[in-house]
Amino acid sequence: MFVTTIRGNTMQRTTTRLITRTVLAAALAAASATPFAVQAAPDHHARAEAECRNCGTVVSNHTYKREPESASGVGGVGGAVVGGLLGNQVGSGRGRTLATVAGAVGGAYAGNRIERNMKAETYTDVRVKMATGSYRTFTEKGAPRFHNGEHVRVLDGRLVR
């Protein structure tokens, strides 16, 4: 009976060891297979990052007016006529002639400047820090549409929300 008990305990220990080793081997196999499963799974983060390479954040806006390169001449002609008439009212003789010419020249310049200011267009330079880390500047016609810190995307070379 004593021999059977020792033999039974030995078998029980051997069985316990075998089960423990099997469980450890299965756990090791599962742990080592995990990286392969992760690599095989679709990476949604990388896809979202690739889709958002055209995304960015507005860093600054700079609004300014740009005058046309040339005016039609209507302002210059109108200014010359008005300036000449006003200059003709001053002095007499050669002084009147000189005042008329000076008034016409000054009026033409002023009329030209007024016309160009009236036809000036507003532009906004929008500086964007892209998701890739680079900076890009987009020039848009009109008042600013985007605010600092706003997330934007580049679509066909234009900024969109």
Side-chain angles (χ1 to χ4, degrees):
M1 181 146 164
F2 182 76
V3 174
T4 310
T5 309
I6 293 175
R7 187 182 256 178
N9 284 342
T10 307
M11 286 180 69
Q12 190 177 19
R13 276 190 245 150
T14 306
T15 306
T16 305
R17 283 183 189 159
L18 183 61
I19 291 172
T20 305
R21 287 181 184 163
T22 306
V23 169
L24 284 174
L28 241 154
S32 65
T34 302
F36 296 115
V38 170
Q39 289 175 1
D43 190 3
H44 299 291
H45 179 67
R47 189 177 75 213
E49 186 177 304
E51 289 175 0
C52 201
R53 293 185 65 80
N54 290 332
C55 294
T57 304
V58 175
V59 177
S60 67
N61 286 311
H62 173 69
T63 304
Y64 57 94
K65 287 197 174 215
R66 186 185 302 170
E67 295 179 352
E69 292 182 23
S70 62
S72 65
V74 173
V77 170
V81 169
V82 171
L85 288 173
L86 290 175
N88 194 33
Q89 302 297 318
V90 178
S92 62
R94 290 195 159 232
R96 177 178 277 182
T97 306
L98 186 60
T100 302
V101 170
V105 170
Y109 177 77
N112 187 31
R113 293 301 306 166
I114 289 170
E115 179 185 5
R116 290 179 73 184
N117 283 338
M118 288 177 62
K119 291 185 177 182
E121 296 183 79
T122 302
Y123 287 89
T124 301
D125 287 340
V126 182
R127 186 162 168 86
V128 177
K129 182 175 183 183
M130 303 303 293
T132 59
S134 63
Y135 288 87
R136 290 182 62 185
T137 301
F138 298 88
T139 301
E140 298 185 332
K141 199 172 187 178
R145 298 184 303 139
F146 303 103
H147 304 288
N148 292 351
E150 189 172 352
H151 294 286
V152 293
R153 193 176 69 209
V154 179
L155 184 65
D156 296 327
R158 298 189 60 222
L159 291 176
V160 294
R161 287 188 166 84

